[in-house]
Structure formats: structure tokens, C-alpha cells
Amino acid sequence: MTAKVVLLENCPQEEALVALAVDALRAGKRVVLPTETVYGVAVRADSPEAMEGLIAAKKRPSQNPFTLAFSSLERLEAYVPRMEALPQRLTRRCFPGPLTAVLSCADEESTIHQLSPKVLPFVAPENIVGVRIPAHSWTQRVLREADFPVALTSANLSGEVDSTSGGDVVRALGESVDWIFDGGISALQEPSTVVRFFSGNRYKILREGAISACRLRRLIQPWILFVCTGNTCRSPMAEALARQILAKKRGLSLETLEKQGIRLFSAGLSANDAEPASANARQVMARRGLDLSAHLSRRISSLLVTHADRIYGMTPSHAAYLLEQWPEATDRLRILDAENGGIHDPYGCSVVAYEKCASQIEEALREAFSQPDFQSLFFEE
């Protein structure tokens, strides 16, 4: 058997090729797909015959499980429901991308238990499963259109060098797979980083790849977002004050805080992009040794909300808007100084009003940051 090779670059029939790949997978074929890391061989994961064929093609020990690949977090979470905080954080930040997360799927609600007992040893031995969402847009479309689970493994013989181009795959597996969809040279040209997560928010790097251990250490730390209306007064002051308070609490300089991965952001629901902080906000912060001269406003975005581990709306109306737009962020959303109705807007008022606003923000942050639910955002190695 010689694989059929399909070139994806500059091909106007993308939709038809997606359908072709999905149909081949549905029929139990071994299909090579490009990813941003290395090329992968995919088969339908609910077929014992397809899984056994994949083992034979790879010349891989049968006890080495295969990763399940998904098009979205929503689909993935059906297989690993109720993830703990740390894997939730890293999958939000790293998916789609070069991370393979190895997680417990023992939860009785996991879709994994709907697979044939003949398949489970290949993908979830001992109720442990590896999951991935590749960042390659064409392969994501294939995974999205597939109405069955897909197993994905590197497109090479077991123990041999990874394939980072369609030509590499032809040389390594051209006689062992059915289809090769050639998307050119892989963007990253190194495999995903494989991380095993344990109960109690512990983790271990099983294979360091495109995400370095140093970067992973930064990614596990909390990102905190402050939201107001225009992002020129309240939220930038809150961001600056929070950075100062957290650095002092952790015995770090402002620069070291950021290097450790603890990141703070601010945004506005109706912000114009790239406006400076108001003059009064800059003056009030300067009195506290904080510099807002480089601040530029930005509008709230799905990316900011998705990545943030704690989101503080300045008022109940800000929180209500965020909740309406991003209901999945409910557990991460708070109102700053909710007991006093939030932080009211000093825009257009005197510097005295800004001073009172800054003092209220500072006091509310100290109180919020002392709470156990905030302290639990931090993970130590």
C-alpha cells in the first residue's frame, strides 16, 4: 500500500479536502494530518481495528497509549469533566497549541466510558488520557467535522525522528498509512510538551517540547484582569496598585513579579484603543510611586477574559455585562468592593475625587488579596 498524498498549500478546494479527510477517518483509514508541532497520524478512536492498525503502522508497543485530539475545549471537557484549577488554567491558555495534557478521566460522566472496552487500553489505560487541541487551522476543521473521537500520534516509526513535513512522512510511513495531507513545513518543528496532572493541582513534565519548562512555570501563575468603562481611570489605577501590593506581599520587585508569570491587565467595556490614562489618575498614582505614563487603553476581548484567572469588575454593571457576554467566566468574576457598591467613576472630577477613588481601590484590593479564594490562585512547584 502506498499512501495517497494531497497538497494543501494554495489549494482552493479546502472544504472538499476536509470532507475527504473526515470520510477517510470515518472509514477506519490511517490519515496523516499537519499540526503546528509535528505531523500526526490520526484514526477514529472508537474503532478497535483502526487503533490496532495504527499500532502496527507505527511499530509501537501496544501499552503506549495514544492522545485524543479535539477541535475545542468544549469537546475536550466532555472527556475530562471537572478538571482541577491548574489543568483548567493551562488548557485555557495553551489550547489550541503545543501542549498535550495527561489527565484523569475516571469521572463517571466522562465520555471516555462510552468507548468500547477493546479501545480503552489504547487511549485511557487506568483511566488516564492524553488530550490535545492542535493549533493548525485546517486540521482543526477536520476535527470539528468529525462526529467521532480521533486518536492522534506523531507520524513516524516509534522511537524515530519526528516528521515536520509531508516529505518526511512519505519517507517514514509512506507504505503504512492511507492518506497524507501535506501542509508544508510545520510551524514549530518540535513536538508538543507533555504534562501529567495529578490530584491536588500537581504536575510533572513528561516530555519537554515546544513549551519550555521555564515558560510552563510562568504559565501556571495567575493572571488578573481589572475592568471598567473607558480604561483610563479606575481599572489602570487598580492594575498599578494591585501590582504594587502583590509584589510587596510576595517580597518581590515589580519586575520580578512579572518575570515569575504573575500578570495584571486592565481593559474597558467601551474603551477607545490607545488612549492614555487620565491626567488625574497619573498624578494620583505618581504620589504612590507608580507610573501610568505608558498606559494605553484597550477594549475588553474574549482573549483577555479567557486567559484571566480572576476578573474584577469595578461596579455591578460591569460584572453584569461581563457575565452576559462570557457566562463561562462566572466562577472567576468578582466586583471590587462589592459591599460598598463597587468603585464609582471619578472621570471629570477633581484630583481629590481621584485620590478618594484610589484609596478605596487600594483598601479593597488589600482585603480581596487576603482572602483564601484569592490566595488559592497561586501554585508553587
Side-chain angles (χ1 to χ4, degrees):
M1 176 185 69
T2 301
K4 302 178 183 67
V5 179
V6 178
L7 299 178
L8 298 178
E9 289 187 330
N10 302 317
C11 179
Q13 300 174 315
E14 180 174 326
E15 189 171 335
L17 295 183
V18 168
L20 178 62
V22 173
D23 287 344
L25 287 167
R26 184 177 289 112
K29 304 298 184 181
R30 294 183 288 277
V31 179
V32 174
L33 303 173
T35 78
E36 79 284 10
T37 54
V38 298
Y39 275 71
V41 189
V43 299
R44 61 180 304 164
D46 56 356
S47 167
E49 296 77 18
M51 297 297 284
E52 288 167 359
L54 183 55
I55 289 172
K58 288 265 300 179
K59 298 181 180 179
R60 175 177 174 140
S62 59
Q63 67 269 23
N64 291 0
F66 296 111
T67 297
L68 292 183
F70 300 90
S71 61
S72 67
L73 271 173
E74 290 73 24
R75 287 194 178 184
L76 184 156
E77 287 167 353
Y79 285 79
V80 281
R82 289 188 281 270
M83 277 188 273
E84 289 191 333
L86 181 55
Q88 276 190 1
R89 178 177 296 178
L90 283 176
T91 54
R92 280 203 321 271
R93 289 183 187 158
C94 298
F95 285 156
L99 173 73
T100 297
V102 181
L103 297 154
S104 170
C105 56
D107 192 300
E108 60 183 14
E109 293 186 15
S110 171
T111 304
I112 202 83
H113 304 305
Q114 298 176 15
L115 297 181
S116 164
K118 294 181 179 180
V119 164
L120 289 176
F122 300 135
V123 293
E126 302 179 0
N127 284 319
I128 303 296
V129 64
V131 294
R132 169 120 197 260
I133 301 179
H136 193 283
S137 60
W138 187 85
T139 293
Q140 275 196 2
R141 285 194 61 189
V142 172
L143 296 171
R144 185 164 58 248
E145 295 301 320
D147 55 357
F148 45 82
V150 175
L152 187 69
T153 184
S154 57
N156 58 338
L157 293 175
S158 184
E160 297 295 324
V161 66
D162 293 311
S163 297
T164 59
S165 71
D168 289 346
V169 180
V170 171
R171 288 185 287 273
L173 295 176
E175 301 299 319
S176 305
V177 297
D178 300 289
W179 289 89
I180 298 172
F181 289 88
D182 186 345
I185 302 293
S186 300
L188 299 179
Q189 299 187 55
E190 57 180 322
S192 64
T193 294
V194 182
V195 180
R196 170 78 164 95
F197 293 95
F198 302 91
S199 61
N201 288 309
R202 295 175 297 118
Y203 76 96
K204 179 180 180 181
I205 298 175
L206 302 183
R207 181 186 71 198
E208 187 171 355
I211 301 176
S212 68
C214 179
R215 184 181 171 204
L216 197 72
R217 283 194 293 271
R218 294 196 299 270
L219 285 169
I220 70 171
Q221 295 302 339
W223 295 7
I224 303 163
L225 172 64
F226 299 94
V227 181
C228 66
T229 304
N231 193 218
T232 58
C233 299
R234 287 169 291 178
S235 59
M237 289 196 297
E239 176 190 346
L241 288 165
R243 186 174 286 109
Q244 183 182 63
I245 292 167
L246 279 177
K248 187 173 182 179
K249 283 176 71 71
R250 299 183 71 81
L252 304 171
S253 67
L254 297 180
E255 294 76 15
T256 304
L257 188 79
E258 194 89 357
K259 288 179 181 177
Q260 287 195 352
I262 302 168
R263 303 188 65 183
L264 298 101
F265 306 89
S266 62
L269 302 183
S270 304
N272 296 316
D273 286 336
E275 284 194 2
S278 69
N280 285 348
R282 295 198 302 271
Q283 181 178 339
V284 166
M285 289 297 99
R287 293 173 180 174
R288 291 165 167 78
L290 297 169
D291 185 5
L292 285 186
S293 62
H295 173 78
L296 295 174
S297 63
R298 59 179 153 194
R299 189 180 292 265
I300 193 68
S301 67
S302 291
L303 186 65
L304 283 171
V305 172
T306 297
H307 285 182
D309 303 295
R310 179 58 49 82
I311 305 165
Y312 290 102
M314 294 296 110
T315 66
S317 62
H318 295 133
Y321 178 88
L322 292 166
L323 194 58
E324 179 182 357
Q325 297 297 314
W326 294 281
E328 68 276 11
T330 300
D331 293 342
R332 296 177 279 128
L333 179 62
R334 303 287 188 277
I335 300 167
L336 194 63
D337 201 10
E339 296 81 358
N340 294 307
I343 310 295
H344 297 291
D345 195 354
Y347 183 76
C349 298
S350 67
V351 72
V352 174
Y354 273 79
E355 181 61 49
K356 289 179 65 176
C357 181
S359 296
Q360 183 189 3
I361 290 172
E362 189 170 11
E363 184 177 347
L365 287 172
R366 292 187 187 281
E367 172 63 24
F369 291 175
S370 68
Q371 298 304 311
D373 76 320
F374 180 82
Q375 295 170 15
S376 69
L377 296 176
F378 294 84
F379 297 116
E380 308 298 340
E381 288 192 277

